[in-house]
Amino acid sequence: MTQNDDDAVAVEPAQPGRKRDHSRDAKILDATLEVLAEVGAAGLTMDIVAARAGAGKATIYRRWTSKTELVIDAVAHMKRNQVDLERLPDTGTLRGDLLGLFKPQSIEESERKLKIMTGLASLLSQDQALADAANAAVVQPWAEAHFALMRRAVERGEISASADIGTLSQVIPSMAAYRTLVQRKPIDLAFLVSMVDGVIVPALRRQPSEVPPDSTGHRPVPTTSRVDEPPSPRRAASVRKRSKI
């Protein structure tokens, strides 16, 4: 089946007044991840995903209008399953909490997830307009977890309330996305330790008075982020509709 065949399917519109049934979404998204890891983005088609999930192709198209949109949602589904905002680590220190987010994986599972991210990168290279959607899927779930842990550290007095946790909560998730999408490297404990000990903890503990003066002798005022407001995700739905693969 060609890529054009995927686009040519006739989709019966949902009946007015009837809510769309999302009960099978998780199974379809899991099937998408399996196929993506096995055959890559180029080999993935709606037909293959439908067969793997035991769903009709038209059913999938009523929920996802393109292959790229389906893959992005599948990756977002995978990321949401990796971090539970209701059960975050609570070790008593920010360093311990951040490192506690790391979950050791087998070599096979690490390779599978790397293949999935490589497939996503391949699709994004074809349509940069989907960058916002990819950010919401890949970076935002982890950024929200880091923000929650940093806010807790502020509340217990471990770090300054003036620390820019809105920005710093996105550093490791963004670097992790770069590592997997661009460098094609897995996320391991050594990477996380280097980011936590070398970047995040020193930055959060640096007091405003320690900021070196600029060329005029003035000390820049650091931007702050309200500790009750996590960084807002970029809206993905509007950009997804721009691509149909």
Side-chain angles (χ1 to χ4, degrees):
M1 164 141 326
T2 67
Q3 184 173 299
N4 289 336
D5 290 332
D6 259 354
D7 290 339
V9 65
V11 180
E12 180 183 350
Q15 295 298 320
R18 292 182 59 186
K19 292 185 178 179
R20 185 170 292 161
D21 181 11
H22 295 284
S23 61
R24 303 193 65 191
D25 284 5
K27 187 173 182 179
I28 294 172
L29 295 175
D30 287 336
T32 303
L33 294 173
E34 291 176 5
V35 174
L36 187 60
E38 292 173 7
V39 303
L44 185 147
T45 67
M46 295 298 208
D47 274 347
I48 297 176
V49 172
R52 182 68 60 91
K57 183 176 174 182
T59 299
I60 295 179
Y61 263 106
R62 279 194 291 269
R63 178 67 177 87
W64 297 276
T65 59
S66 73
K67 181 171 76 173
T68 301
E69 181 181 340
L70 174 60
V71 168
I72 288 177
D73 269 6
V75 172
H77 169 70
M78 179 180 73
K79 293 295 182 180
R80 286 192 299 269
N81 288 339
Q82 290 176 353
V83 57
D84 186 350
L85 293 177
E86 300 300 321
R87 295 178 177 82
L88 293 173
D90 191 0
T91 66
T93 68
L94 177 60
R95 181 182 187 275
D97 290 346
L98 291 173
L99 294 180
L101 289 172
F102 179 78
K103 297 179 176 65
Q105 297 175 344
S106 65
I107 295 177
E108 293 77 11
E109 182 62 16
S110 295
E111 290 178 348
R112 173 181 177 271
K113 289 181 178 178
L114 190 57
K115 289 178 180 178
I116 289 171
M117 298 304 289
T118 299
L120 174 62
S122 174
L123 291 176
L124 293 179
S125 68
Q126 301 172 27
D127 190 346
Q128 289 300 316
L130 292 164
D132 285 351
N135 175 74
V138 176
V139 175
Q140 199 60 31
W142 287 103
E144 291 177 3
H146 284 211
F147 184 88
L149 295 178
M150 292 177 185
R151 179 174 58 188
R152 184 196 296 165
V154 170
E155 291 170 351
R156 65 175 172 244
E158 184 181 358
I159 59 176
S160 171
S162 64
D164 186 3
I165 63 176
T167 298
L168 291 173
S169 64
Q170 299 186 57
V171 171
I172 293 180
S174 297
M175 288 302 299
Y178 174 80
R179 184 177 174 88
T180 55
L181 292 173
V182 179
Q183 295 183 315
R184 306 291 201 270
K185 294 180 179 179
I187 305 302
D188 53 22
L189 184 58
F191 164 79
L192 185 57
V193 169
S194 68
M195 291 297 300
V196 171
D197 290 347
V199 180
I200 300 303
V201 171
L204 285 169
R205 289 179 175 169
R206 189 178 180 88
Q207 298 301 311
S209 61
E210 296 177 306
V211 177
D214 59 21
S215 59
T216 65
H218 295 90
R219 298 183 186 275
V221 177
T223 58
T224 59
S225 174
R226 290 182 57 186
V227 298
D228 58 342
E229 292 183 0
S232 299
R234 308 285 294 276
R235 292 191 60 83
S238 60
V239 297
R240 288 187 194 153
K241 296 179 180 178
R242 301 176 193 171
S243 171
K244 186 152 185 165
I245 294 180

